[in-house]
Amino acid sequence: SEYGTTSKSLAGYLRIFTAYFKTLLFLEPIILIFSLLGVIILWFKSKKMFFISLFWPIFYISSLYFFFYPEFYKPITYYIILIIPWLAILAGFAIYSLTSKLSNPIKTITILLLLMYPFLTAVSYCNLLSQKDTRILAKEWVEENIPSGTKILSNWSYINPIPTKEAILFQKSLDENSL
């Protein structure tokens, strides 16, 4: 079988952690950086809490690797969502530890500056969401520019269609040679 039963290796195991780290660094850099800082602070404050805080992400990513991924499979970005609350708690702990000794005005300014990047990112995503969906734009372009009955070649390597009986029958009705 392709999924979860292929041979695993230490290199593949480390690769999946590296890939998720890179994904988090790209998607949530502030949370990731401050959560790593929170882990470092925990190391000095409480070794027990340090090891407890590492349990969830190691267990979760290990479970994904050993049970769901073939050896050279790329990690799926949306699986990382279950790590975000853990990172947010550690990041909050780091921010609290760093700002607890600051005076109130400096503390407020520091926290506002830290939240500026995620806020601006959220605003840009909201702007993108307010635009017309690219799938609708592509559909409209195809309908206007490609004659009816023409077959369209697509790159399915990044798409995970659900292989239901109805989907297979529909695909077969479109083009028997595509199955």
Side-chain angles (χ1 to χ4, degrees):
S1 171
E2 230 178 272
Y3 296 97
T5 58
T6 59
S7 65
K8 304 295 181 178
S9 67
L10 180 59
Y13 184 65
L14 296 175
R15 191 178 314 114
I16 203 78
F17 276 93
T18 304
Y20 274 124
F21 180 83
K22 287 178 182 176
T23 300
L24 283 168
L25 191 58
F26 176 73
L27 295 175
E28 295 291 346
I30 300 295
I31 290 178
L32 180 63
I33 291 166
F34 278 96
S35 66
L36 291 174
L37 192 58
V39 168
I40 292 168
I41 292 169
L42 273 178
W43 172 259
F44 292 107
K45 288 197 175 198
S46 169
K47 301 272 191 286
K48 180 180 175 184
M49 289 306 294
F50 169 80
F51 289 110
I52 289 171
S53 73
L54 291 181
F55 173 76
W56 171 245
I58 291 172
F59 171 76
Y60 178 68
I61 293 173
S62 297
S63 296
L64 288 176
Y65 176 70
F66 287 112
F67 298 114
F68 298 107
Y69 289 134
E71 177 63 25
F72 296 106
Y73 195 75
K74 288 184 175 183
I76 299 172
T77 305
Y78 55 80
Y79 284 160
I80 207 69
I81 194 100
L82 291 177
I83 300 290
I84 301 295
W86 170 83
L87 293 175
I89 291 169
L90 286 172
F93 174 71
I95 291 170
Y96 173 77
S97 297
L98 295 172
T99 60
S100 62
K101 295 182 175 137
L102 298 174
S103 66
N104 279 342
I106 295 173
K107 186 186 305 187
T108 304
I109 291 169
T110 303
I111 292 172
L112 285 174
L113 287 174
L114 288 174
L115 294 176
M116 194 61 109
Y117 175 77
F119 174 75
L120 293 174
T121 303
V123 167
S124 73
Y125 282 134
C126 286
N127 182 41
L128 286 174
L129 288 173
S130 69
Q131 306 296 317
K132 196 169 193 178
D133 192 326
T134 55
R135 294 170 292 192
I136 294 171
L137 291 172
K139 176 187 167 288
E140 290 172 353
W141 184 90
V142 167
E143 288 173 347
E144 292 172 11
N145 296 297
I146 297 179
S148 180
T150 304
K151 292 183 181 180
I152 299 173
L153 179 67
S154 66
N155 182 357
W156 284 87
S157 62
Y158 296 106
I159 298 174
N160 297 322
I162 301 170
T164 61
K165 183 178 180 180
E166 294 80 21
I168 293 170
L169 291 173
F170 178 72
Q171 181 65 30
K172 188 174 184 179
S173 73
L174 293 175
D175 184 5
E176 285 193 32
N177 296 325
S178 68
L179 296 175

